[in-house]
């Protein structure tokens, strides 16, 4: 099958500069509405990768995202949100971007074109066979990401990928590829738009489903979330009140004493058997 970058094909909209603001927003929104449907078609692939991640994490493994540009930044965002949301260690889910942390804010010239640097970056994190590495690249052709996954495959480390072109070199490299085919962008080649949205949705699915499978959610509540601000403390107290028959004041006292919703509820139930 011939590899075609649909993410680089010309937009179906012409003369964008002649559109009114209302027309621009309407047309962008129309395109955005197609993204969840494209993600739905990839659910079987996402399911397979999540199962691998859960199995490895149950054995003490970690998850790494590697990417360049927008893709790398999206991986970092997802990784950084896991500790406060689910109360897991900061090194359980990791985001690595081509060019290093300075590339989070500003593009680093030619960083994505180095096929050997990702493995060097992963080695700095003591990568092992217990871990899973997911390469993120809208085009599916980024040398940094492909090179990283190739090295992982050689070292018997499970690899996955998230891309937005069918049959890309990245998909052919990853053991568990995910392809979300969103088609041409509203602004030709601007893969931070639909492709970026698709990648974000898939990352949400991967991390959330994994954490639920690991027991980090009870019912539908984030019972292990970090209490890092007053809003979250208030939410935690109300979650406790929903689980056990206590007043707001008592719930706040329990939360302050035990440090998490789960521990507060468990200690209360054990003391009141």
């Amino acid at each position: 099958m011939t590899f075609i970058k649909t993410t680089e094909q010309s937009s179906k909209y012409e003369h964008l500069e002649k559109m009114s603001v209302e027309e621009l927003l309407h047309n962008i929104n129309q395109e955005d509405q197609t993204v969840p449907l494209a993600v739905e078609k990839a659910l079987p692939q996402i399911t397979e990768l999540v199962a691998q991640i859960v199995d490895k994490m149950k054995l003490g493994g970690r998850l790494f995202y590697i990417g360049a540009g927008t893709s790398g930044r999206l991986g970092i965002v997802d990784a950084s949100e896991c500790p406060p949301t689910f109360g897991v260690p900061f090194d359980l889910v990791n985001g690595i971007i081509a060019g290093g942390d300075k590339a989070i804010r500003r593009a680093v010239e030619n960083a994505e074109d180095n096929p050997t640097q990702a493995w060097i970056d992963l080695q700095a994190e003591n990568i092992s066979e217990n871990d899973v590495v997911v390469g993120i690249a809208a085009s599916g052709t980024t040398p940094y990401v492909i090179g990283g996954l190739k090295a992982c495959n050689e070292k018997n480390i499970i690899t996955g990928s998230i891309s937005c072109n069918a049959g890309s070199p990245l998909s052919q490299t990853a053991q568990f590829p995910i392809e979300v085919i969103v088609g041409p962008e509203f602004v030709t080649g601007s893969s931070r738009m639909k492709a970026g949205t698709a990648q974000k949705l898939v990352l949400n699915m991967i991390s959330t489903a994994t954490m639920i499978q690991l027991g980090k959610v009870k019912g539908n509540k984030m019972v292990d979330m970090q209490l890092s601000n007053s809003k979250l403390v208030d939410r935690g107290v109300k979650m406790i009140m929903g689980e056990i028959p206590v007043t707001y004041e008592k719930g706040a006292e329990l939360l302050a004493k035990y440090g998490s919703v789960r521990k507060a509820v468990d200690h209360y139930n054990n003391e009141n058997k």
Side-chain angles (χ1 to χ4, degrees), residues 9-14 16 19 27 30-31 34 184-188 194:
Q9 290 183 333
S10 183
S11 171
K12 67 181 182 181
Y13 300 87
E14 296 289 349
L16 305 188
M19 293 182 185
N27 290 331
Q30 288 295 111
E31 288 300 300
T34 68
E185 297 286 2
F186 178 71
V187 176
T188 299
K194 288 193 299 181

Side-chain angles (χ1 to χ4, degrees), residues 90 157 217 228:
F90 282 93
I157 297 168
V217 171
S228 56

Side-chain angles (χ1 to χ4, degrees), residues 213-232:
Q213 288 288 297
L214 294 175
K216 297 301 179 180
V217 171
K218 184 176 181 181
N220 57 16
K221 304 295 194 303
M222 298 179 288
V223 293
D224 293 321
M225 66 180 179
Q226 293 180 354
L227 307 171
S228 56
N229 58 51
S230 58
K231 178 191 74 173
L232 296 179

Side-chain angles (χ1 to χ4, degrees), residues 26 47 54 68 98 100 106 159 176 178 186 191 207 223 233 241-242 255:
H26 173 77
T47 300
V54 171
R106 295 184 179 182
T159 57
F176 296 92
I178 296 168
F186 178 71
S191 56
S207 57
V223 293
V233 170
M241 293 171 66
L255 190 58

